[in-house]
């Protein structure tokens, strides 16, 4: 994630070609907007994908902290999350009890006429606030709520995250929950939300896990909210988990509550519906399903042949592996998908084949993760990676020669996943074609989550309890006491 870092770099940064950048972001806006993450290779900070990335990373830590620790990466991934949440707390008045705006974006995409390293940027970077953006606010609430559980041992910081998440969720729903009747998020050039109801379910579920406040589970199990969210409808994007579509992730998270906490009345009916829906979705990923096509090389086409497919594939691999681990943890041998019963390992095997494709087991024998294997993209769409580190200052126009250079990038973004191939397994290793060669923070968060989930197979399962640390023991309503005895004993 170092290639996406903005602001003054931490002392433990060991990437020689990265340096401090955009230290003046948001000067005069609240307490400033230095830090955070650039979305991809163009040095723009978008709050939407950054929030989604932090939510996904936090979820992976809560499920697989033992695997992270075994790999020696637990403290590292927590540092990555904290860098993101520290910035998100700056994008609104997080110390207030209510807010009227949040920051949507810092910087402006100018790839066509400006190509310089983030470290060389000295032009004004606009701060774009938003006063009506329920989808973004709910996603930010999800990120801070999930992270608050990751940092539960740091009580002061965790409490700060929960408070921020609470006021963001109230800002998102205007305190009206499923009755919200406000407008949708304003359009963005790159991150347009197609709706906000799925973020309400997703954000509300994380709020419940972070706080144990029953008002949140009451909200997310409301049939009205699920109907608004189109959670049970079909359509081409049903089951495609990503920065703009949280249905699948929210349904799996809610199914976790049912599988491990056994809520019962009045929640059982909706939780059962969520459970059935996510089971159908995970089944739709398997090769025996005809819901999603596959390329000749075996890559599932979750975004139906459109550009940048890998970010959705990694998310699906994470969800499928997590689903298999939930089955393992509940001693469930498998699941019935239509007329066929699949053992739980079938879902993990799907995830493995997709990650193997990304790592090089494909028709091009190319790894789409930079620095992995001997054959990976050399012309990554990333301004910092394409310009030698010794060039400290240059103008926008002077930098264009590096964009147009026929030479491979002088700097290697080790571990970054690019957008990926087309529906014919074709790939253009072209610096100017960001659809193929740009790495993004949202895509790489999904990759990290999937890789850690698959680490060591099923030898180390999920952490069943940490996710629920804030949820009080659930007790069924007691029947009324019997009437008092009348008459003589």
């Amino acid at each position: 994630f170092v290639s996406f870092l903005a602001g003054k770099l931490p002392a433990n940064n060991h990437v020689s070609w990265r340096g401090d950048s955009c230290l003046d972001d948001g000067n005069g806006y609240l307490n400033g907007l230095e830090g955070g993450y650039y979305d991809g290779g163009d040095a723009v900070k978008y709050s939407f994908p950054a929030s989604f990335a932090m939510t996904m990373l936090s979820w992976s830590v809560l499920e697989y902290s033992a695997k992270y620790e075994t790999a020696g990466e637990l403290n590292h991934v927590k540092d990555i999350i904290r860098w993101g949440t520290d910035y998100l707390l700056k994008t609104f008045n997080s110390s207030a009890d209510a807010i009227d705006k949040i920051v949507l974006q810092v910087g402006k995409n100018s790839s066509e006429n400006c190509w310089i390293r983030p470290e060389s940027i000295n032009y004004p970077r606009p701060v774009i606030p938003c006063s009506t953006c329920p989808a973004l606010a709910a996603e930010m609430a999800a990120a801070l709520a999930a992270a608050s559980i990751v940092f539960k041992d740091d009580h002061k910081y965790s409490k700060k995250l929960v408070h921020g998440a609470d006021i963001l969720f109230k800002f998102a729903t205007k305190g009206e929950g499923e009755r919200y009747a406000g407008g949708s998020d304003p359009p963005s050039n790159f991150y347009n939300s197609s709706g906000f109801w799925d973020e309400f379910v997703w954000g509300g579920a994380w709020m419940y896990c972070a706080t144990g406040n029953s008002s949140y589970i009451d909200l997310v199990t409301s049939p009205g909210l699920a109907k608004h969210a189109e959670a049970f409808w079909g359509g081409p994007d049903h089951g495609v988990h990503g920065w703009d579509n949280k249905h699948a992730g929210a349904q799996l998270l809610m199914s976790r509550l049912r599988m491990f906490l056994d809520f019962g009345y009045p929640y059982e009916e909706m939780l059962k519906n969520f459970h059935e829906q996510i089971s159908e979705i995970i089944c739709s990923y398997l090769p025996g399903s005809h819901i999603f096509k596959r390329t000749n090389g075996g890559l599932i086409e979750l975004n139906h042949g459109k550009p940048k497919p890998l970010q959705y594939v990694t998310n699906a691999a994470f969800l499928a592996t997590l689903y298999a681990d939930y089955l393992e943890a509940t001693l469930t041998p498998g699941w019935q998908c239509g007329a066929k019963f699949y053992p739980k390992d079938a879902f993990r095997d799907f995830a493995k084949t997709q990650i193997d494709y990304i790592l090089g087991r494909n028709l091009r024998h190319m790894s789409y993760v930079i620095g992995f294997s001997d054959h990976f993209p050399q012309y990554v769409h990333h301004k910092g990676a394409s310009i030698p580190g010794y060039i400290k200052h240059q103008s926008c126009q002077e930098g264009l020669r590096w964009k147009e250079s026929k030479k491979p990038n002088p700097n290697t973004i080790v571990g970054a996943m690019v957008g990926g191939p087309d529906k014919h397994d074709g790939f253009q290793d072209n610096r100017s074609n960001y659809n193929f060669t740009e790495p993004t923070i949202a895509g790489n968060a999904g990759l990290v989550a999937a890789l850690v989930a698959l680490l060591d197979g099923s030898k180390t399962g999920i952490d069943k309890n940490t996710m629920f640390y804030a949820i009080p023991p659930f007790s069924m309503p007691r029947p009324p006491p019997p009437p008092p005895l009348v008459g003589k004993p």
Side-chain angles (χ1 to χ4, degrees):
F1 276 74
V2 174
S3 62
F4 303 113
L5 281 177
K8 187 172 181 60
L9 297 191
N12 61 356
N13 167 50
H14 300 299
V15 179
S16 61
W17 53 273
R18 283 304 322 275
D20 300 343
S21 62
C22 298
L23 301 181
D24 295 329
D25 275 359
N27 273 358
Y29 190 95
L30 295 176
N31 295 317
L33 293 166
E34 184 214 316
Y37 291 101
Y38 303 122
D39 153 67
D42 293 324
V44 182
K45 295 191 292 198
Y46 295 98
S47 298
F48 211 138
S51 299
F52 176 72
M54 296 307 106
T55 311
M56 290 297 292
L57 288 178
S58 292
W59 193 2
S60 72
V61 170
L62 295 175
E63 302 283 12
Y64 298 112
S65 60
K67 290 188 177 185
Y68 274 112
E69 194 155 23
T70 299
E73 293 292 333
L74 182 58
N75 289 333
H76 182 203
V77 72
K78 290 174 74 173
D79 286 345
I80 290 171
I81 294 168
R82 185 157 186 161
W83 188 273
T85 53
D86 280 351
Y87 172 75
L88 291 177
L89 287 169
K90 296 178 181 180
T91 61
F92 63 102
N93 189 353
S94 58
S95 62
D97 292 326
I99 56 175
D100 60 3
K101 60 184 175 181
I102 56 179
V103 172
L104 177 76
Q105 176 180 334
V106 177
K108 186 176 180 181
N109 192 304
S110 54
S111 296
E112 298 304 317
N113 54 22
C114 186
W115 192 268
I116 57 176
R117 302 171 68 234
E119 292 81 355
S120 299
I121 291 175
N122 58 7
Y123 51 78
R125 285 165 55 82
V127 173
I128 303 177
C130 176
S131 58
T132 305
C133 37
L136 170 58
E139 180 58 64
M140 290 171 64
L144 298 187
S148 76
I149 311 174
V150 171
F151 296 106
K152 65 182 179 61
D153 294 333
D154 184 343
H155 181 71
K156 183 177 180 180
Y157 189 60
S158 181
K159 186 177 180 180
K160 185 177 182 180
L161 292 171
V162 168
H163 176 73
D166 178 60
I167 59 177
L168 281 167
F169 199 76
K170 289 175 181 174
F171 173 72
T173 63
K174 302 300 182 187
E176 298 175 2
E178 67 171 280
R179 298 184 304 277
Y180 178 79
S184 60
D185 290 22
S188 163
N189 290 334
F190 293 94
Y191 292 98
N192 292 317
S193 173
S194 58
F196 49 79
W197 295 110
D198 58 316
E199 275 84 12
F200 284 11
V201 180
W202 173 248
W206 280 112
M207 290 300 298
Y208 179 63
C209 291
T211 66
N213 185 326
S214 61
S215 67
Y216 290 112
I217 191 170
D218 289 342
L219 173 65
V220 297
T221 56
S222 163
L225 184 61
K227 182 179 179 180
H228 279 309
E230 302 179 2
F232 307 132
W233 295 14
D237 295 327
H238 190 59
V240 183
H241 186 65
W243 64 265
D244 180 38
N245 187 348
K246 317 295 163 37
H247 294 313
Q251 288 166 348
L252 185 57
L253 186 59
M254 298 302 293
S255 298
R256 191 190 208 278
L257 296 174
R258 179 177 189 248
M259 296 170 79
F260 297 113
L261 295 184
D262 192 23
F263 271 71
Y265 178 83
Y267 306 109
E268 167 61 15
E269 183 176 356
M270 281 302 297
L271 292 177
K272 181 175 181 289
N273 286 337
F274 283 131
H275 194 173
E276 290 173 349
Q277 281 290 306
I278 191 59
S279 297
E280 289 183 10
I281 286 169
I282 301 297
C283 287
S284 75
Y285 296 158
L286 298 182
S289 170
H290 300 291
I291 301 298
F292 296 107
K293 295 180 180 179
R294 277 170 165 72
T295 67
N296 290 336
L299 184 71
I300 188 170
E301 293 184 49
L302 293 167
N303 66 336
H304 311 289
K306 290 181 285 189
K308 302 182 180 181
L310 298 188
Q311 58 182 310
Y312 307 105
V313 174
T314 55
N315 289 333
F318 173 68
L319 296 185
T321 307
L322 195 52
Y323 182 86
D325 285 340
Y326 288 175
L327 295 179
E328 178 83 24
T330 54
L331 304 179
T332 307
W335 203 260
Q336 191 78 25
C337 296
K340 185 174 180 181
F341 179 84
Y342 287 90
K344 57 182 178 292
D345 284 344
F347 306 106
R348 189 175 287 110
D349 289 343
F350 155 76
K352 288 179 181 176
T353 61
Q354 298 304 300
I355 296 301
D356 284 346
Y357 181 105
I358 292 170
L359 295 178
R361 192 169 293 178
N362 53 60
L363 297 182
R364 300 181 64 86
H365 305 291
M366 170 179 276
S367 167
Y368 293 107
V369 176
I370 308 304
F372 185 85
S373 85
D374 296 328
H375 184 35
F376 54 85
Q378 303 293 312
Y379 298 84
V380 180
H381 180 97
H382 188 282
K383 294 176 180 178
S386 69
I387 300 173
Y390 63 80
I391 295 181
K392 302 302 180 184
H393 301 289
Q394 61 182 178
S395 69
C396 286
Q397 295 302 311
E398 288 172 335
L400 288 175
R401 71 186 185 96
W402 298 105
K403 178 184 179 183
E404 298 161 0
S405 171
K406 302 301 181 183
K407 295 181 180 180
N409 286 358
N411 305 311
T412 303
I413 314 175
V414 177
M417 182 184 73
V418 297
D422 61 26
K423 61 183 178 181
H424 304 295
D425 299 295
F427 183 80
Q428 296 179 24
D429 194 2
N430 183 329
R431 195 176 292 120
S432 294
N433 196 329
Y434 59 83
N435 281 331
F436 289 102
T437 60
E438 184 177 21
T440 64
I441 187 174
N444 279 266
L447 175 66
V448 170
L451 288 173
V452 74
L454 288 168
L455 186 65
D456 294 329
S458 58
K459 294 179 182 178
T460 304
I462 60 164
D463 176 347
K464 290 196 290 187
N465 299 317
T466 300
M467 181 85 77
F468 302 140
Y469 93 106
I471 298 176
F474 186 79
S475 58
M476 297 296 291
R478 295 184 178 183
L485 293 175
V486 179
K488 295 180 179 180

